[in-house]
Amino acid sequence: MTAHGPAPLPSNKVIVIDDDPSVLKGLSRVLKMSGFDPVLFDCAESFENEPAIGEACCLVIDIHLKGKSGLELKQVIGDQFPVIFITASDSEAVATAARAAGCIAFLRKPFPAQSLIDPIRHLNAESLGARD
């Protein structure tokens, strides 16, 4: 395996849930450039109403969504998918709640693209057994 390009994932699908169209577009671009297959939703309810999500390596969820919040969605889905929470909030209470909900990463907007890609790649290494 070379050090260049994305490593193969059990599933390279990354579900992104954010109610800001410009954030969805930007994250989609970053994920595609990193070798992932982004699937975009503009609210928690549209994600929940999608019957054929299939396998995904993780979910990237905005905490403050219109309708059901990202934290509420995480409660509903439980540990079915690893979750990366993103938010524009500076509140330490929000950060604490996100970590308590069991996220693998918590990112405050705006964040560097690599801070999103690294935890997803880390999931890949764990799922492949991290061979040396």
Side-chain angles (χ1 to χ4, degrees):
M1 188 183 311
T2 65
H4 301 287
L9 284 166
S11 170
N12 69 341
K13 185 189 306 182
V14 176
I15 296 169
V16 181
I17 307 167
D18 197 305
D19 54 11
D20 183 334
S22 63
V23 170
L24 283 176
K25 184 178 179 180
L27 292 179
S28 177
R29 186 178 312 122
V30 164
L31 290 165
K32 284 179 183 176
M33 287 175 27
S34 299
F36 299 106
D37 178 20
V39 180
L40 310 177
F41 295 93
D42 62 0
C43 66
E45 292 81 3
S46 63
F47 167 74
E48 290 178 311
N49 291 328
E50 178 61 42
I53 295 298
E55 291 216 6
C57 63
C58 71
L59 273 62
V60 178
I61 307 173
D62 186 14
I63 289 180
H64 298 291
L65 297 166
K66 294 177 185 138
K68 185 179 287 186
S69 76
L71 292 170
E72 291 169 325
L73 177 60
K74 174 67 170 103
Q75 277 188 315
V76 170
I77 63 172
D79 293 329
Q80 182 179 357
F81 299 100
V83 169
I84 297 171
F85 279 122
I86 60 176
T87 186
S89 171
D90 278 341
S91 165
E92 197 52 45
V94 169
T96 300
R99 290 185 183 102
C103 63
I104 62 164
F106 176 80
L107 305 174
R108 285 192 173 102
K109 299 175 190 174
F111 50 84
Q114 202 60 44
S115 65
L116 174 66
I117 300 305
D118 286 346
I120 300 172
R121 292 241 167 94
H122 182 73
L123 281 173
N124 180 39
E126 285 181 355
S127 69
L128 295 176
R131 297 175 212 140
D132 286 351

